[in-house]
Amino acid sequence: ALLNPEAFGRSRRGSSDGKRGWRPELGRRLQELRERYGDLSNLGLLMGYVSHMHRHGGRRKSQLAHATLGTQLTRFGSDLLQVAGSQRIAEWDVADFETNYGAVLCCKSDEARRQAFDALMDFHGYLINVHQMPEISEAALRKIAGSRIVAPRPGMATRLEVEQVFDALQADIASEEVRPDALPEAIRLLRLRKLMFTLLGASGIRPSSAYGLTLGDVLLSGPGRDFVRVRSTGDYGQAKSKASLGYVALDGPLWARARREVLPWVDQEKSQVGKDRWWNLPLFASAAGARRRFSRSLLTGRIDRLLKWAVGDPRAGTYWLRKNSVTARHERVCSTFQTCSVPP
């Protein structure tokens, strides 16, 4: 949970689950774990490695994102602990390291093996520099790891399939509202789930970026002039790269259908919290004016399952909505270019 930004935010004290102040607090919690288990225990070595990256950064950046810290460790951490078992990593010799690292790599799929190797070698560099552990030969391990494999993962949902999912989400709301014991929190969650689906389908932004939107990031100025702003600043903003930052248009058939419901809902949220407070409040707050959000799994888990059902493919998921939007934009650009290229 420490290295999952969303779970970490929910575990923090205070009224907000945002990311403000996460870096010093994560450092304190990692230090507590190291003190509890010991620096030379297997878990202590892994936590020390994360603390080292947290403090000094990686090969390319002086400060690593919270999610990057988690990704770097999870590429090999759990497999290494399982391979080590009751053995102490700190007591391994050169042959032990090479044998057990090879076993870790064999646990990985062909696509993940090279990334696991790179992370393992970075981890071993930490062990050498900080704990004076022996250097090893990378040649045999590099041969096991092979080269990086970039496998295409096509995924598309048709307009009819997207509308089927939208209708199912609307039916969830209707069935909950007629229940005599319906909870306002449950109805709000269902409405926000449909809003999440709508924004993802209409903008093509990543689910993590959509989850980090605030009320001020949704700009509804009229048909053809509706946008969301993706940013990495503020208490909630999330963007995978600089190329993702900026204003993204809301358009397409799904947005045309849902806009008339989204607009009054956003206006209602703003009116309930006052003119000076709504701008930086999370869009997917658990209550109007709250600074804590519903978990992302509650918002997208049902969408994932519905897309698998509608598309008939177990690989389908929320991210396919981004692929839909990106493909549609590419087709529009190509169409415009071809039209402009036709001589009069």
Side-chain angles (χ1 to χ4, degrees):
L2 284 183
L3 300 180
N4 181 318
E6 294 167 20
F8 182 76
R10 292 195 299 273
S11 70
R12 298 174 66 186
R13 298 176 181 177
S15 59
S16 172
D17 67 349
K19 61 184 182 180
R20 191 181 304 277
W22 72 269
R23 195 173 291 277
E25 184 168 348
L26 177 61
R28 287 193 296 270
R29 294 201 195 181
L30 290 172
Q31 183 60 33
E32 289 173 2
L33 285 176
R34 294 171 64 186
E35 292 173 356
R36 182 187 307 172
Y37 295 100
D39 281 345
L40 293 180
S41 68
N42 291 352
L43 185 60
L45 289 175
L46 292 177
M47 292 300 99
Y49 171 58
V50 175
S51 296
H52 185 79
M53 291 191 295
H54 172 262
R55 189 180 310 113
H56 301 291
R59 297 178 180 178
R60 298 180 181 179
K61 294 184 178 181
S62 59
Q63 285 193 334
L64 297 179
H66 196 162
T68 303
L69 296 174
T71 300
Q72 188 74 357
L73 180 64
T74 54
R75 282 175 175 161
F76 70 90
S78 62
D79 291 315
L80 180 62
L81 291 176
Q82 291 179 22
V83 168
S86 59
Q87 302 176 48
R88 288 175 60 86
I89 296 175
E91 297 175 356
W92 287 353
D93 58 20
V94 172
D96 291 331
F97 274 114
E98 293 178 352
T99 300
N100 291 317
Y101 282 173
V104 170
L105 295 178
C106 290
C107 294
K108 298 296 182 179
S109 66
D110 292 341
E111 292 180 21
R113 194 168 292 149
R114 179 59 194 228
Q115 291 178 317
F117 167 77
D118 292 338
L120 261 176
M121 293 303 97
D122 195 59
F123 169 67
H124 195 74
Y126 159 77
L127 295 182
I128 294 172
N129 294 329
V130 177
H131 296 287
Q132 293 75 51
M133 296 196 183
E135 295 187 10
I136 62 173
S137 172
E138 297 183 8
L141 296 174
R142 192 181 298 276
K143 187 175 181 179
I144 296 174
S147 58
R148 289 207 177 196
I149 300 174
V150 180
R153 294 176 180 171
M156 289 286 290
T158 66
R159 178 175 174 178
L160 177 60
E161 291 164 347
V162 171
E163 290 180 349
Q164 283 181 314
V165 175
F166 185 85
D167 291 338
L169 294 174
Q170 182 60 49
D172 289 345
I173 299 172
S175 61
E176 183 68 25
E177 287 178 333
V178 298
R179 293 181 51 165
D181 58 345
L183 296 174
E185 293 83 359
I187 296 175
R188 180 180 178 85
L189 170 61
L190 295 175
R191 289 176 176 169
L192 287 175
R193 183 180 292 156
K194 190 176 78 166
L195 176 62
M196 170 69 83
F197 180 78
T198 300
L199 293 180
L200 290 174
S203 67
I205 62 177
R206 293 180 173 86
S208 58
S209 295
Y211 186 63
L213 293 174
T214 65
L215 287 171
D217 292 328
V218 182
L219 310 171
L220 306 178
S221 303
R225 295 181 290 121
D226 297 328
F227 299 87
V228 291
R229 181 177 64 157
V230 176
R231 55 184 175 134
S232 58
T233 56
D235 210 6
Y236 306 97
Q238 293 287 340
K240 185 176 181 180
S241 64
K242 291 182 179 180
S244 303
L245 300 174
Y247 294 88
V248 182
L250 296 168
D251 53 26
L254 181 62
W255 181 245
R257 178 180 177 184
R259 185 182 189 278
R260 64 180 182 275
E261 299 177 10
V262 175
L263 184 60
W265 186 87
V266 171
D267 289 340
Q268 178 183 342
E269 287 289 293
K270 294 177 181 179
S271 65
Q272 292 181 15
V273 297
K275 296 181 179 179
D276 299 328
R277 294 185 55 223
W278 61 265
W279 182 262
N280 287 316
L281 291 176
L283 181 62
F284 297 99
S286 57
R291 302 194 68 86
R292 286 188 172 270
R293 299 165 289 180
F294 288 110
S295 70
R296 197 172 79 168
S297 60
L298 285 176
L299 293 166
T300 61
R302 169 72 169 160
I303 298 173
D304 286 334
R305 293 189 292 273
L306 286 173
L307 281 169
K308 289 176 173 60
W309 160 74
V311 177
D313 189 330
R315 298 171 298 176
T318 309
Y319 200 84
W320 279 28
L321 297 171
R322 172 173 170 79
K323 296 181 180 182
N324 269 24
S325 297
V326 170
T327 301
R329 280 197 190 123
H330 177 71
E331 290 174 347
R332 287 198 297 270
V333 170
C334 289
S335 177
T336 302
F337 179 77
Q338 290 172 358
T339 301
C340 294
S341 300
V342 175

